[in-house]
Amino acid sequence: MFICDNLGANADGHLTFAGQDTAALAARYGTPLYLMDEARVRHNCRVYRDAMRAHFAAGSRPLYAGKANCFAQLYRIMAEEDMGVDVVSCGEIRTAEKAGYDLANAYFHGNCKTDADIACAMARGVGYFVADNADELAAIEAEAARRGVRQKVLLRLTPGIDTHTYEAVNTGRVDSKFGAAIETGQAAELTALALRQAHIELTGFHCHVGSQVFAEDVFERAAVVMLEFIAAMRDAHGYTAQQLDLGGGYGVRYVADDPVLDIGEKIASVAAAVHAACARLNIPEPAILLEPGRSIVADAGLTLYTVGAVKRIPGYKNYVAVDGGMGDNPRFALYKSRYTVLPAGRMDAPRPLDCSVVGRCCESGDIIQENVPMPEDIRRGDLVAVCTTGAYNYSMASNYNRVPRPPIVMLRGDESFVAVRRETFDDLCALDA
Ligand code: LLP
């Protein structure tokens, strides 16, 4: 009945999330409000960790991709759950550091790291750099030489695989802005270049084929292409890669007709492809890394809003406007992403009204979701919940229209606490001269 088993309804007709009454949480913390279910985050981490330990070579592990959602409390959980992390900026690095996360377990991504980024990451002891291109490799070599260290590096490659997800997140193809293509020979050139650097220790290769991926076999095919490349580099240079990072991307269920992926089964299937390819190519199995973001945090998140206005345009359309919008969740505006939207305070009411749930920003595209079924008499003051907002909502939030960002409240057992406080108007003006 619900899209995730951390959702429910209680005797008062209120939506529950992680066993807590969302109406009570809205009353206590105000709206708009992001909620995070800590037990769900930990559960999702353990599914990856346990399956990877069971199926892959020693040293294999999941890295949480902080771009999906980044705040200090999450890195504390990642440390406790023995997760590595994927970081893409000094902002993410500093957040992890602030949380006391050991940056030796961090992998620094990005296709355009500046000299300042590289210096900041090296100074803070980030364990691994994932180099995207030759310009960056040279900059990493120069900084490592200046510091007199040997930096561990993986190279980002494009295996030439189309994941058939939405365009903005389809990254494995040869023409991608990310990485060096295997097909064009540029990946082999970048490898030869990396192996010549005195201050770079090449530990292996990385690819990330896309996000919100449900298509069959994508990760298996990517693994085989990458392992064939590893075998070719062994033949060309006598070089043995220790690590193969297959990136993130497994899809999550936003609406009832999305499939449910069994991550444990998916990992077992990738492992079977890895075992077979390594045996065929006669190469040792590298440690496998995966970088899940969305599938760690998406279903651990929920957003609560209060209705501010209901507008019926007879013969045309119905609008339910809420006190947040594209500032806290730009994903419909960007990708037409689908979400399950519920009347959190009136779960037992029939929902015959077809409406668009829209935000408060001065822009027609500020839509949370279209064709949402709502109670006929939905009105100002009612609560609206948007499910599965734990990934790429807070991390992509903006202050458009100078609207403060909502707080993040963590739910743990019967307790709740503020993990990120609500932005204030003073915060908004803090940078103004
Ligand atoms: N690793 C790399 C190198 C990535 O670029 C990404 C996502 C991930 C891991 C994590 O992928 P995930 O497991 O979360 O799919 N803003 C978009 C998603 C952009 C994903 C970018 N890269 C959205 O809201 O759908």
Side-chain angles (χ1 to χ4, degrees):
M1 172 186 166
F2 288 97
I3 52 158
C4 184
D5 60 15
N6 56 1
L7 295 161
N10 64 19
D12 295 325
H14 297 169
L15 179 71
T16 60
F17 186 56
Q20 300 201 32
D21 184 321
T22 57
L25 290 163
R28 176 163 171 199
Y29 296 103
T31 62
L33 174 64
Y34 295 117
L35 298 175
M36 288 296 288
D37 171 359
E38 181 169 326
R40 188 79 201 180
V41 175
R42 291 181 187 273
H43 168 81
N44 292 339
C45 291
R46 287 169 197 171
V47 168
Y48 271 95
R49 205 190 53 205
D50 295 350
M52 292 187 74
R53 277 188 192 157
H55 293 291
F56 292 127
S60 300
R61 68 188 314 199
L63 317 175
Y64 168 62
K67 57 183 78 66
N69 202 341
C70 182
F71 55 95
Q73 183 61 20
L74 270 182
Y75 287 104
R76 292 184 195 114
I77 295 173
M78 294 309 145
E80 287 170 13
E81 296 298 334
D82 196 23
M83 297 280 287
V85 299
D86 146 358
V87 291
V88 291
S89 69
C90 280
E92 289 187 0
I93 290 168
R94 298 293 291 265
T95 306
E97 181 179 54
K98 182 177 167 191
Y101 185 87
D102 179 2
L103 291 171
N105 298 310
Y107 290 67
F108 188 19
H109 280 276
N111 67 313
C112 187
K113 301 174 188 74
T114 65
D115 289 349
D117 292 336
I118 292 167
C120 155
M122 248 182 244
R124 296 190 142 70
V126 166
Y128 301 84
F129 281 53
V130 183
D132 183 275
N133 52 65
D135 290 334
E136 190 180 301
L137 203 58
I140 296 169
E141 167 66 22
E143 182 64 19
R146 207 175 64 75
R147 290 176 179 277
V149 297
R150 212 157 165 250
Q151 178 61 52
K152 292 195 182 98
V153 169
L154 291 84
L155 299 180
R156 179 163 181 168
L157 312 182
T158 36
I161 284 176
D162 192 337
T163 50
H164 301 290
T165 181
Y166 38 103
E167 195 55 31
V169 296
N170 202 355
T171 46
R173 291 189 321 217
V174 175
D175 62 356
S176 170
K177 84 164 178 177
F178 298 102
I182 294 177
E183 190 182 305
T184 58
Q186 287 161 302
E189 281 166 26
L190 193 62
T191 305
L193 183 65
L195 290 171
R196 286 200 299 273
Q197 307 305 311
H199 301 91
I200 283 178
E201 178 190 344
L202 186 65
T203 64
F205 300 100
H206 167 275
C207 67
H208 169 78
V209 290
S211 195
Q212 186 63 359
V213 175
F214 288 115
E216 283 282 316
D217 289 352
V218 162
F219 292 89
E220 290 82 347
R221 284 191 288 129
V224 171
V225 171
M226 295 294 284
L227 289 164
E228 285 171 349
F229 181 80
I230 286 174
M233 292 305 103
R234 190 244 348 240
D235 295 346
H237 306 288
Y239 166 71
T240 304
Q242 298 151 33
Q243 295 181 306
L244 171 57
D245 183 340
L246 295 172
Y250 280 120
V252 304
R253 192 172 188 220
Y254 287 99
V255 291
D257 50 8
D258 283 335
V260 183
L261 290 186
D262 182 327
I263 297 292
E265 270 176 23
K266 286 279 164 193
I267 286 171
S269 155
V270 174
V274 169
H275 300 327
C278 289
R280 172 171 62 83
L281 297 163
N282 193 24
I283 52 172
E285 282 199 22
I288 302 292
L289 307 171
L290 292 174
E291 300 170 342
R294 193 188 310 269
S295 51
I296 298 292
V297 286
D299 63 8
L302 178 132
T303 307
L304 289 174
Y305 301 106
T306 302
V307 174
V310 177
K311 187 173 292 178
R312 295 158 206 269
I313 313 176
Y316 290 89
K317 225 175 157 162
N318 302 309
Y319 286 104
V320 170
V322 298
D323 56 355
M326 65 191 289
D328 61 80
N329 182 358
R331 295 192 69 255
F332 186 89
L334 283 170
Y335 320 118
K336 295 261 179 295
S337 300
R338 296 174 71 201
Y339 281 102
T340 300
V341 184
L342 300 169
R346 302 166 63 195
M347 292 297 290
D348 40 11
R351 296 170 212 164
L353 184 76
D354 177 56
C355 64
S356 290
V357 174
V358 299
R360 56 175 295 170
C361 285
C362 303
E363 180 156 333
S364 310
D366 177 19
I367 297 168
I368 296 281
Q369 199 64 194
E370 288 177 328
N371 299 115
V372 177
M374 278 291 171
E376 188 59 47
D377 60 342
I378 186 164
R379 53 188 173 263
R380 183 176 169 90
D382 281 355
L383 277 181
V384 167
V386 180
C387 304
T388 330
T389 57
Y392 303 110
N393 275 228
Y394 174 67
S395 64
M396 294 175 77
S398 76
N399 292 123
Y400 184 40
N401 286 182
R402 212 72 156 168
V403 174
R405 274 175 278 224
I408 301 175
V409 166
M410 298 289 298
L411 308 180
R412 178 192 288 161
D414 298 333
E415 296 181 351
S416 61
F417 61 93
V418 175
V420 178
R421 70 164 169 77
R422 187 180 295 283
E423 240 170 5
T424 64
F425 295 108
D426 284 343
D427 292 330
L428 290 179
C429 296
L431 304 180
D432 294 5

